[in-house]
Amino acid sequence: MHELAAALVGRREVAEDMWVLSFVAGPIGAEARPGQFVNLGLPAGPLLRRPFSVYRVEGEVVEVVLKAVGVGTRMLLDLLPGQAVSCLGPLGRPFALSAEAGPVALVSGGLGVAPMIMAAREAKRLGLPVTWFHGARSAQHLSREWEGDQVVWATDDGSRGLTGSILNAVPDGLGQVLACGPNPMLKAVAAKWPLAQVALETYMGCGTGVCLGCAVPLVAGGFDRACTEGPIYRAADVDWDRLPGHLSYAE
């Protein structure tokens, strides 16, 4: 884990109101694995850092994806090239892909694209075929960036791809299912693919397991900390009925 000043070097819009920010953070990028995250802090921003999945690593550059839905994310989007944030990471437990477990299905809804580029690249490194299933409210909310052998789209209004939930497009019998999106979607994933690996988004304060602000209720009883034991979980292990519906980037 590293803590460093990471300068903004790029910003691009990949769907309506969905932005990718690029920061120079070489030591973090060199160690980051699919599903892990970074905690970003602004020198003159909100008290708590904001957690973001590592979206993509290109050389010395680490990227995150976000929408401006609160004070912290709006301030991040207002950064000018060259301005720096405090970047802590890589944090959390990554996806665990197996070369022997068969083809990979990446299932994402909305901002759930966040960990999927890294996951697709890891799967391809292992020689595994990858199909990315991505859903959103409408065509303009679908991310224009994806990786893998093929992509399947779904939109609530039918403006692109299949109409309705992206989960209806995912076939049974897949070797490995990796999912990220709103908690109600992940609850549905757990019901259909209990062995799926899901990336949870929840409020985090410290990101290092100290503050206990990111408790995840477990079916077996008790709680885990999403920042250390997660954010990747086996879908069947999470008590979805007790898990709050909020997201980590809500402020």
Side-chain angles (χ1 to χ4, degrees), residues 6-235:
L8 180 74
V9 292
R11 175 175 49 233
R12 64 185 184 277
E13 192 174 23
V14 295
E16 185 173 298
D17 298 326
M18 184 188 299
W19 296 83
V20 172
L21 300 186
S22 305
F23 297 94
V24 176
I28 292 174
E31 298 178 14
R33 296 185 58 202
Q36 290 188 300
F37 67 97
V38 292
N39 245 15
L40 302 183
L42 290 155
L47 175 64
L48 296 179
R49 295 173 180 266
R50 296 295 186 267
F52 298 95
S53 293
V54 177
Y55 176 71
R56 194 169 68 167
V57 174
E58 297 288 352
E60 295 285 303
V61 174
V62 173
E63 296 184 335
V64 300
V65 61
L66 71 157
K67 287 187 176 183
V69 294
V71 174
T73 44
R74 287 191 180 94
M75 292 181 71
L76 284 169
L77 284 177
D78 286 340
L79 288 172
L80 299 174
Q83 290 185 308
V85 298
S86 173
C87 186
L88 179 68
L91 301 168
R93 187 164 64 97
F95 286 117
L97 286 168
S98 168
E100 291 74 40
V104 175
L106 306 177
V107 184
S108 57
L111 277 172
V113 300
M116 295 307 184
I117 294 286
M118 294 277 286
R121 292 183 175 185
E122 175 68 7
K124 295 306 293 181
R125 187 185 68 80
L126 295 172
L128 296 167
V130 178
T131 303
W132 192 333
F133 299 86
H134 181 50
R137 295 196 305 272
S138 60
Q140 62 263 36
H141 295 102
L142 290 169
S143 176
R144 293 184 288 273
E145 298 184 352
W146 64 275
E147 293 197 17
D149 298 292
Q150 59 179 327
V151 63
V152 178
W153 310 106
T155 49
D156 293 342
D157 63 2
S159 54
R160 185 172 185 184
L162 303 173
T163 302
S165 171
I166 189 61
L167 300 188
N168 296 331
V170 185
D172 294 326
L174 291 168
Q176 302 177 82
V177 177
L178 279 54
C180 185
N183 288 343
M185 186 196 95
L186 297 184
K187 180 180 179 180
V189 167
K192 193 169 183 180
W193 302 284
L195 299 182
Q197 297 179 59
V198 297
L200 287 183
E201 300 283 1
T202 185
Y203 286 128
M204 293 183 188
C206 67
T208 58
V210 176
C211 72
L212 307 180
C214 58
V216 175
L218 304 177
V219 171
F223 293 83
D224 261 354
R225 296 162 297 179
C227 66
T228 51
E229 287 83 31
I232 307 302
Y233 288 89
R234 189 176 71 161

